[in-house]
Amino acid sequence: MKIGIIGAGQIGGTLARRFVACGHEVKIANSRGPQTLTELARESGAKPVTVADAVRDVNLIIVTIPEKNIPALGDRPFEHVPADVVVVDTGNYYPRERDGRIAAIEAGKVESVWVSEQISRPVIKVFNNIYAKHLLENGTAEGTANRIALPVAGDDVAAKKTVMGLVDDIGFDPVDAGPLAESWRQQPGTPVYGADLDAAGVAKALASASPKRTAGWTATDQSPGSFEAPA
């Protein structure tokens, strides 16, 4: 596949390495320009590009930037992207450590539903509940006992199938986590987050999740900054 990645942090860089190793063609971009991605390109085999180039002539786009930066990305990069191009969201809301207060999410909006609204594209939620180091190092062959599984949430059946195939490609069992509205089941603070469970364990953890955001994952008066989503 031809894959464009927006975001070259730990998850973005890890996915670039894993996808190239599996034979996919990968372009990667960040907010600072391709000249800052020379070392990652050398290590991973991905092509450093601008954001505009990352979304051009690809089958799938991965958005893996801090939640607080999603509104700045907005829908402009996707204006001319064909409707059949799959968009993946890997993000998590970290109000205390990084993102500050995002009012809509604090009021109960599901993280990836909010992301989808900001970029005006349907998204598939995946790769958000596993540590980057484990994503890079702990993939195993299909059929391996206790193979780590990853939840995949979204509304488009065909897009979800494509993404689940990529999850399997890089060494993990994909588990259908339901529609995007249910992706709160894999947000930080839920039983599946950071747990490295097998497929049965992921299914059980998703089923046992509570929609109430735990105290450790909500904003406080000391959260770094504040953001009100535009109307």
Side-chain angles (χ1 to χ4, degrees):
M1 293 184 67
K2 294 181 178 180
I3 299 171
I5 301 177
I6 300 174
Q10 292 188 32
I11 294 294
T14 294
L15 290 173
R17 292 175 174 90
R18 296 300 298 122
F19 288 143
V20 170
C22 291
H24 299 292
E25 183 179 323
V26 179
K27 298 187 288 186
I28 190 165
N30 65 8
S31 61
R32 295 176 295 139
Q35 72 279 0
T36 66
L37 297 173
T38 303
E39 184 63 21
L40 175 60
R42 184 188 65 79
E43 292 177 4
S44 68
K47 180 181 179 181
V49 297
T50 64
V51 171
D53 285 335
V55 303
R56 186 178 295 120
D57 188 30
V58 292
N59 310 114
L60 182 138
I61 299 165
I62 297 173
V63 178
T64 180
I65 63 177
E67 217 81 334
K68 66 179 181 179
N69 295 340
I70 289 291
L73 179 68
D75 60 3
R76 187 173 181 180
F78 307 95
E79 287 178 341
H80 303 294
V81 174
D84 62 348
V85 173
V86 179
V87 179
V88 170
D89 171 39
T90 77
N92 288 314
Y93 174 49
Y94 298 124
R96 300 189 182 196
E97 297 84 1
R98 182 190 68 191
D99 296 317
R101 181 186 298 273
I102 297 177
I105 297 178
E106 289 290 332
K109 180 82 71 174
V110 176
E111 293 173 1
S112 287
V113 171
W114 179 80
V115 170
S116 179
E117 292 173 353
Q118 300 303 306
I119 67 173
S120 299
R121 294 283 300 214
V123 301
I124 304 296
K125 176 70 168 249
V126 67
F127 302 123
N128 73 296
N129 76 303
I130 185 171
Y131 295 110
K133 180 178 174 63
H134 298 184
L135 187 62
L136 179 66
E137 299 176 354
N138 294 352
T140 55
E142 184 177 4
T144 302
N146 301 315
R147 192 187 199 205
I148 295 172
L150 302 179
V152 184
D155 301 325
D156 186 305
V157 174
K160 191 186 291 187
K161 182 178 179 180
T162 296
V163 173
M164 292 174 81
L166 286 174
V167 171
D168 183 51
D169 276 355
I170 63 172
F172 301 89
D173 279 338
V175 173
D176 192 330
L180 195 66
E182 293 289 307
S183 63
W184 57 265
R185 296 180 182 276
Q186 63 199 74
Q187 290 175 179
T190 62
V192 79
Y193 181 74
D196 287 352
L197 303 169
D198 64 10
V202 165
K204 182 177 180 181
L206 292 171
S208 66
S210 168
K212 181 177 175 59
R213 187 177 292 277
T214 56
W217 303 101
T218 57
T220 70
D221 292 340
Q222 286 73 46
S223 292
S226 179
F227 172 77
E228 294 286 340

